[in-house]
Amino acid sequence: MYEIIQKAHSGIAYLALGILVFAVINAFLAISSKRGFEDKDRKISLFALIFCHVQLLLGLVVYFVSPLGMAALGEMSNAALRLTSLEHPLINVIAIALITIGWSKHKKEESSNGKFKKIGYLYLAGLLLILSRIPWNLWF
């Protein structure tokens, strides 16, 4: 069961990152072109939020059942174990919190430009945090 969840977590990561990058690019292109916030923009941002949350849930399951997760939490001298047991989960929870805040803040914004700025900057901050703590050696 662990292998299935771990593979799902790894596979959905590509989708989550792809749609998150797409949402950030969409927001910044809209800011630069000063276009209105449309339903398609809301859906792009919402799908990015949903995929990130699904990824977080799968990651938490993997964290609690993996030998590289919570079981290795005390191994701070080993950089690889520290990454998978502390840095990766903690930074990604913070990143997804920023993405969620971006989604929530955009709903309260009146102007289209303000909506795109909330989504663009907070989703970008979340994306950069996620990219900073991906265990790249396990991806390639």
Side-chain angles (χ1 to χ4, degrees):
M1 184 67 167
Y2 162 71
E3 289 84 19
I4 294 170
I5 296 171
Q6 195 274 332
K7 294 237 185 277
H9 178 65
S10 296
I12 291 177
Y14 293 104
L15 293 171
L17 281 175
I19 190 98
L20 185 58
V21 167
F22 184 62
V24 169
I25 291 171
N26 180 61
F28 284 112
L29 287 176
I31 291 169
S32 66
S33 68
K34 298 186 186 328
R35 69 176 167 83
F37 193 83
E38 300 171 5
D39 192 48
K40 74 172 181 70
D41 301 310
R42 185 188 64 79
K43 287 179 183 175
I44 291 169
S45 302
L46 179 60
F47 282 126
L49 177 78
I50 290 169
F51 273 97
C52 287
H53 279 101
V54 168
Q55 182 67 0
L56 175 65
L57 289 174
L58 288 171
L60 288 173
V61 171
V62 169
Y63 179 73
F64 287 111
V65 298
S66 169
L68 298 175
M70 196 168 136
L73 192 55
E75 300 292 327
M76 294 298 116
S77 60
N78 183 330
L81 286 176
R82 185 178 61 241
L83 175 67
T84 57
S85 68
L86 178 67
E87 294 171 0
H88 177 73
L90 178 65
I91 295 300
N92 286 330
V93 166
I94 293 169
I96 293 172
L98 287 172
I99 292 166
T100 305
I101 291 168
W103 173 257
S104 296
K105 294 273 188 192
H106 105 276
K107 293 189 293 186
K108 297 175 182 149
E109 192 67 40
E110 294 294 324
S111 70
S112 290
N113 194 40
K115 287 179 182 288
F116 285 123
K117 282 184 178 180
K118 297 288 190 271
I119 288 172
Y121 289 117
L122 287 166
Y123 277 38
L124 177 62
L127 175 64
L128 292 175
L129 286 175
I130 290 169
L131 290 174
S132 75
R133 290 297 165 239
I134 289 177
W136 293 106
N137 61 331
L138 299 176
W139 272 41
F140 301 107

